[in-house]
Amino acid sequence: MPAHDTAAFVSGRAISREAARKRRRVESEVFADLCRLLPLRASVRGHLDKPSVIRLALCYIRLKALLQDEMHVSKIFTGGPDVRLDVKDAAVAAEESEVYLTILEGFVMVLSSEGDMMFLSDNVSRYLGLTQTELMGHNVFELTHPCDHEEIRSNLRLSAEEAFWSDAKRDFVVRIKSTLTFQGRSTNLKSATWKVLQCQGRRARSCAGPSPASCLLLTCRPLPVSHTLLCARTFSSQHSMDMRFTHCDHTVSSILGYTPHELVGRSIYELCHTLDTICLTKYHINLYSKSQSVSGHYRMLVRGGGYVWVESHSAVVPAARRSKLRTGASQPYLILSVTYVLSDVEEPFLQLSLDQ
């Protein structure tokens, strides 16, 4: 190759390298500017890679478009400063958010109609082990149990009747991956276990803009395996898998009027108000499929007449240790339940069952 051709080739490569270096520098500056605009703590922003910056920026834009309120969007990201608030007001807002989340004993999640996690409160790591920035922008179907996907889709859909109402309520139970072990240690996502969440909330719609959008606003509470009996208006019980009582503590006598001996062998459906059997059936199905569930509010009949409003928290557990089973015998299971009484006796002169 002639000398002048070699020089031109070397010069061209140098120009190309300089152009690529300049392009990378401009790209880094753009990403740095975009990262600074995210309403997150500086310590969190410093550990974000470029794909995460894009993912979180898109979440913020979608949330802002949905809520149509910059002030509210900035406040809902609890870790970030609000440009319209002074330092004192921002600190008060962050403290209030922390109090609400502590009382809730769970976290807040906003899902798009496609199931994308547009927002999660920053305390989500206490319950799932994964941080807010690791989860936002991903689809909820990537982390939930495959058997729960159809139930999630049905709650994401807006029925014909709900299309006229912006306050369509939701209450369902799902299993989601958690990287926290029972000892509270953190593991990787491949070794994650399933955690049962009770998700309650409502559909929200925004009619602003050229294309109306909707989302699902949820509060998510992990269901505990064990419960503390806090007062006399709470009783525990054990059931076979068809919901027949096998044991009940003595507290039930002062609440429902039945002795524990009278309840053994009877189904909980016999004590349930007829109008609440659908609620109880859904709770029973969740127990079978997810091993934990919350009944929601239903009415239990009281001896002598009337009923009380209650809520039951239950879990399916092994009935015996495997070491005590005969060789080849299948593992038996039972249902442990804690029932909270939410009201006094209502309509005490109304008898709805011969057993009353």
Side-chain angles (χ1 to χ4, degrees):
M1 182 182 292
H4 65 279
D5 291 342
T6 303
F9 178 74
V10 172
S11 176
R13 290 189 62 181
I15 293 173
S16 178
R17 284 196 299 270
E18 180 60 31
R21 192 179 297 114
K22 182 179 179 180
R23 185 172 61 252
R24 288 193 297 270
R25 185 170 61 251
V26 171
E27 180 184 275
S28 297
E29 291 174 355
V30 170
F31 272 98
D33 291 340
L34 182 60
C35 187
R36 280 192 292 271
L37 292 174
L38 293 175
L40 300 168
R41 296 189 184 93
S43 58
V44 175
R45 293 198 302 264
H47 294 88
L48 297 177
D49 55 14
K50 292 178 181 179
S52 297
V53 171
I54 295 175
R55 173 167 52 83
L56 294 171
L58 289 174
C59 284
Y60 177 71
I61 292 170
R62 292 179 69 182
L63 197 60
K64 178 181 176 183
L66 178 71
L67 299 179
Q68 294 294 314
D69 187 346
E70 287 185 19
M71 174 78 79
H72 190 55
V73 172
S74 295
K75 285 182 180 179
I76 200 169
F77 283 84
T78 56
D82 190 327
V83 294
R84 300 188 184 185
L85 297 176
D86 58 30
V87 176
K88 183 178 179 180
D89 290 339
V92 171
E95 185 177 347
E96 288 180 355
S97 298
E98 184 65 25
V99 170
Y100 293 146
L101 293 173
T102 302
I103 296 172
L104 176 65
E105 294 185 345
F107 59 92
V108 176
M109 179 165 60
V110 180
L111 295 178
S112 71
S113 54
E114 297 82 22
D116 295 326
M117 293 182 281
M118 298 166 58
F119 172 76
L120 294 105
S121 54
D122 61 356
N123 69 331
V124 65
S125 58
R126 299 179 196 170
Y127 305 99
L128 302 184
L130 300 167
T131 64
Q132 177 191 46
T133 53
E134 288 175 323
L135 292 171
M136 283 178 55
H138 290 290
N139 197 282
V140 71
F141 295 108
E142 299 172 15
L143 296 169
T144 50
H145 197 286
C147 295
D148 297 341
H149 287 181
E150 186 53 41
E151 184 173 8
I152 296 172
R153 290 190 186 96
S154 67
N155 282 282
L156 288 173
R157 286 193 292 265
L158 195 65
S159 65
E161 294 82 5
E162 293 170 343
F164 296 97
W165 305 94
S166 61
D167 197 24
K169 294 182 179 179
R170 295 290 189 268
D171 187 350
F172 57 100
V173 176
V174 298
R175 288 162 290 183
I176 192 167
K177 289 182 179 179
S178 171
T179 59
L180 292 177
T181 64
F182 290 109
Q183 293 77 23
R185 299 173 183 172
S186 184
T187 183
N188 56 53
L189 195 57
K190 290 183 179 180
S191 303
T193 56
W194 297 113
K195 178 162 285 190
V196 183
L197 297 179
Q198 181 188 18
C199 302
Q200 296 176 304
R202 62 183 179 84
R203 288 294 302 260
R205 290 187 297 140
S206 172
C207 298
S211 56
S214 67
C215 69
L216 199 57
L217 306 176
L218 297 171
T219 57
C220 305
R221 295 190 302 118
L223 298 184
V225 177
S226 60
H227 293 261
T228 302
L229 303 184
L230 299 177
C231 64
R233 296 177 65 81
T234 306
F235 66 90
S236 62
S237 56
Q238 294 181 12
H239 305 261
S240 58
M241 294 304 292
D242 61 355
M243 292 303 291
R244 292 185 180 276
F245 284 91
T246 58
H247 174 76
C248 191
D249 68 36
H250 66 278
T251 314
V252 72
S253 300
S254 60
I255 298 174
L256 300 181
Y258 306 100
T259 65
H261 179 72
E262 289 177 313
L263 293 178
V264 172
R266 296 180 60 183
S267 171
I268 195 172
Y269 289 99
E270 298 177 33
L271 300 178
C272 173
H273 193 290
T274 307
L275 298 178
D276 297 332
T277 52
I278 295 178
C279 168
L280 203 61
T281 302
K282 179 182 176 182
Y283 152 71
H284 195 181
I285 293 172
N286 279 336
L287 272 174
Y288 259 94
S289 59
K290 301 166 188 175
S291 298
Q292 283 181 265
S293 187
V294 176
S295 65
H297 299 170
Y298 68 99
R299 287 162 285 191
M300 291 191 79
L301 305 182
V302 177
R303 164 155 286 181
Y307 54 82
V308 290
W309 285 94
V310 300
E311 182 176 85
S312 297
H313 296 238
S314 302
V316 177
V317 298
R321 294 182 180 179
R322 290 191 176 274
S323 59
K324 296 184 178 181
L325 295 176
R326 296 192 306 271
T327 304
S330 60
Q331 173 71 66
Y333 290 91
L334 58 82
I335 296 171
L336 290 180
S337 182
V338 174
T339 301
Y340 298 88
V341 180
L342 308 176
S343 73
D344 293 326
V345 178
E346 298 186 11
E347 301 188 54
F349 301 106
L350 178 64
Q351 291 192 342
L352 301 171
S353 169
L354 293 176
D355 295 324
Q356 290 184 280

